[in-house]
Amino acid sequence: MSNQTLTITDNRTGKAYTLPIEHDSIRATDLRQIKVADDDPGLCTYDPGFVNTAACKSSITYIDGDKGILEYRGYPIEQLAETCTFLEVAYLLHNGELPARQQLDDFVHQVTHHTILHENVKQFIAGFRYDAHPMGMFVSTVAALSTFYPEAKNIHDAAIRRKQFFRLVAKVPTIGAFTYRHNIGMPYAYPDNDLSYTGNFLNMMFRKTEGKYKPNPVMERALDILFILHADHEQNCSTTAMRSVGSANTDPYSSLAAAAAALYGPLHGGANEAVLKMLRSIGSKDRIPEYVQRVKAGDVRLMGFGHRVYKNYDPRARIIKRTADQVFEVTGRNPLIDIAVELERIALEDDYFIKRKLYPNVDFYSGIIYEAMGLPMDMFTVMFAIPRTAGWLTHYEEMLVDADQKIARPKQLYLGAARRNFVPMDRR
Ligand code: ACO
């Protein structure tokens, strides 16, 4: 008999059960046979936040948090960030393999030729208040796209799904840039198909009156790297939202709006904004020790430090730190970087952080770069949502073709009132 099993003794009944172990996990439904009476629904697990529960099998992204490893489809993030464009990585995520030249050219062509939004979308965005949060506009506009492409409801048709993948990856930068232009009261800048994915995004964000916008190649490349680093991160809160909503066979636009709404939360996609606020509040290097004391006393958190999964240096933070230096050569040095570097140095030598395995995460340096690029803080989460769209859609695809998957429907432990009779109003 294989030793890939787990034997559990239920001390309530003295009965022993042997459950198969596959991929270092047991099936939660195997626990149902463990019961004290025939009409008992059986044992289940209690796991708020899914801290130790796998909800799917996935072949997309691998993370080893203890060792600080992140891989897309088996390729180390460092190698991808060093050599690829974002669209090459989007192809890899979605198709499972790196593209050959012709495959990449076709893929880029498809994305490039879906960047324009229906003119009605412009009017839709114009309906928001002048100071509407760009993520609020982003979430709503992505959801609204489902009404423009009703065929997207045919979620079991692979060709139709593929078309929506191209549409969404192509249109999210346009939506993001339009929300920014709406906030600053500038006319929308239309996509330029001669430019790269990130070059065109810079064009839609920053073009003024010039006939042809020429993106700075350093900024264009830096954005490619940042987009690659944010393209996927396995089963985080927003990806789980994408899968859960998609499991009801909801169209990809509505599902992606739900994922983006999850990302909007300050505990998820909003942390880089919090880092910037923290660095500003510290203000100068000489005030760092005082701030670190407050962190250690439990008064405040060191934002951009610590991660649920990484108990080592987040590999993305290391790459972003290097990218920051390249961007500053063009934009001039963001003074906040000196405070950030010194803060990191002090924290990494301090027992409090060493003992708790607290290292910089992806958000520690990304906000500083975005600010140097001229982006307002409100746009930071949009900058996360744009590249993550490729990851979300890849998980959506994987979920839809996985025969194991069902509509998401967790159990609860009901601890409320036992059955009782209704009390009429005059007797309460
Ligand atoms: N500053 C100070 N102490 C911290 C920090 C921090 N940033 N993060 C964790 N700790 C401490 C906790 O106080 C706790 O100490 P204790 O054992 O003495 O009580 C210990 O480290 C473990 O912390 P948990 O909260 O249990 O860790 P968890 O894995 O639940 O939290 C999280 C991870 C939410 C990311 C946390 O580290 C944090 O709040 N960091 C700051 C916010 C941040 O940067 N978020 C971005 C995450 S990356 C992303 O979402 C894209």
Side-chain angles (χ1 to χ4, degrees), residues 228-249:
I228 290 168
L229 300 181
H230 286 92
D232 195 48
H233 212 234
E234 52 117 312
Q235 312 305 322
N236 49 73
C237 180
S238 54
T239 302
T240 300
M242 181 87 199
R243 281 178 174 264
S244 292
V245 175
S247 75
N249 287 354

Side-chain angles (χ1 to χ4, degrees), residues 266-269 271 275 295 300-309 311 314 316 352-353 356 358 361-363 384:
L267 291 187
H268 190 10
V275 172
V295 172
V300 284
R301 285 214 154 187
L302 184 47
M303 298 313 289
F305 258 65
H307 196 277
R308 172 62 61 76
V309 179
K311 301 302 169 197
D314 180 338
R316 300 169 298 174
Y352 176 94
F353 300 92
R356 290 171 179 77
L358 298 171
N361 61 47
V362 67
D363 288 322
F384 194 152

Side-chain angles (χ1 to χ4, degrees), residues 362-379:
V362 67
D363 288 322
F364 194 63
Y365 290 106
S366 62
I368 303 176
I369 302 188
Y370 287 139
E371 188 179 70
M373 284 180 168
L375 289 163
M377 265 198 271
D378 277 358
M379 275 298 286

